[in-house]
Amino acid sequence: MSGDCLFCNIANGLLATEFLLETDQLVAFRDLHPVAPTHILVIPKRHITSLAHLEDTDVTLLGEMMLAIKELAEELGLEDGFRVVANTGADGGQSVHHLHFHLIGGRSLQWPPG
Ligand code: DGP
């Protein structure tokens, strides 16, 4: 854990954030600035800076994150579809430098993004 990292602090329960899901490896919680009726962030508890910092040993963790997203989408009634986004690095528009997947849904989403 990095004490300077917002999402490490959230994952460690230091910011009183309500978790929709928690396992040994990950937590899911609502985005502070939702862009759709449903906007959830799924993050690993362990600090990983971004998708670009993943290692071969993170395969199981990533699988667990994807299955968590599928589970959440089902629970939240996103049967008409949803989008999963991992903004990565400066050009990718990443603002919090702790790996996270956005689960976005609840309305018809446009493509391409800006
Ligand atoms: P990104 O731009 O892809 O790095 O997304 C970071 C997201 O994190 C952004 O949509 C807003 C959200 N966010 C930032 N600070 C907080 C916070 O303190 N709590 C919650 N729940 N979400 C936050």
Side-chain angles (χ1 to χ4, degrees), residues 65-84:
M65 292 179 82
M66 290 300 116
L67 287 171
I69 287 168
K70 179 202 153 201
E71 222 173 86
L72 286 162
E74 282 172 4
E75 278 172 19
L76 296 167
L78 302 179
E79 62 273 352
D80 289 337
F82 55 86
R83 185 169 293 165
V84 178

Side-chain angles (χ1 to χ4, degrees), residues 10-90:
I10 287 179
N12 283 281
L14 300 179
L15 293 179
T17 304
E18 184 191 349
F19 296 151
L20 282 77
L21 181 68
E22 178 173 14
T23 72
D24 287 349
Q25 302 289 332
L26 63 84
V27 294
F29 53 91
R30 293 193 186 279
D31 194 291
L32 193 60
H33 304 299
V35 298
T38 299
H39 187 165
I40 310 298
L41 299 172
V42 178
I43 72 170
K45 286 186 173 175
R46 178 165 58 87
H47 184 83
I48 299 173
T49 301
S50 80
L51 205 67
H53 296 78
L54 285 170
E55 300 186 2
D56 291 353
T57 49
D58 294 321
V59 166
T60 304
L61 168 67
L62 268 199
E64 191 182 321
M65 292 179 82
M66 290 300 116
L67 287 171
I69 287 168
K70 179 202 153 201
E71 222 173 86
L72 286 162
E74 282 172 4
E75 278 172 19
L76 296 167
L78 302 179
E79 62 273 352
D80 289 337
F82 55 86
R83 185 169 293 165
V84 178
V85 174
N87 296 325
T88 303

